[in-house]
Amino acid sequence: MAAFAAVYDYGHYGTLLKNNIRDAWWKHMVQLRDDVVGLDSANFMSSDDLEASGHVDSFDDPQVACRKCQNALPRRPYP
């Protein structure tokens, strides 16, 4: 169980509290200031991090090409 030591389940009220704290912080640190611009962007990891986490060796997301538009789509089993 050591692998799950950093995973938290806030529950309903904990999630509401966490979101209220986040929103209050954003309001006071970003929205109420004229010298700050808010930015929400993707997080990128280095290839060393991805390799250390096992994503490089064990990640598998097969794709197929659409015969009409030639776009690559994830191959998923139909229900």
Side-chain angles (χ1 to χ4, degrees):
M1 286 295 179
F4 296 108
V7 177
Y8 300 97
D9 183 3
Y10 291 104
H12 176 71
Y13 291 114
T15 300
L16 294 175
L17 176 64
K18 178 181 70 77
N19 291 342
N20 285 339
I21 293 170
R22 180 201 61 210
D23 294 344
W25 182 91
W26 186 264
K27 180 180 179 181
H28 290 283
M29 299 302 283
V30 177
Q31 292 177 337
L32 297 178
R33 294 179 58 170
D34 293 331
D35 60 337
V36 175
V37 176
L39 176 66
D40 191 4
S41 61
N43 295 320
F44 293 98
M45 295 175 66
S46 71
S47 58
D48 293 338
D49 293 334
L50 292 172
E51 189 172 340
S53 66
H55 284 84
V56 174
D57 294 332
S58 63
F59 186 75
D60 184 26
D61 190 15
Q63 296 186 348
V64 294
C66 175
R67 292 181 182 168
K68 286 186 176 182
C69 64
Q70 299 303 316
N71 286 340
L73 304 170
R75 186 181 75 206
R76 304 273 191 256
Y78 290 103

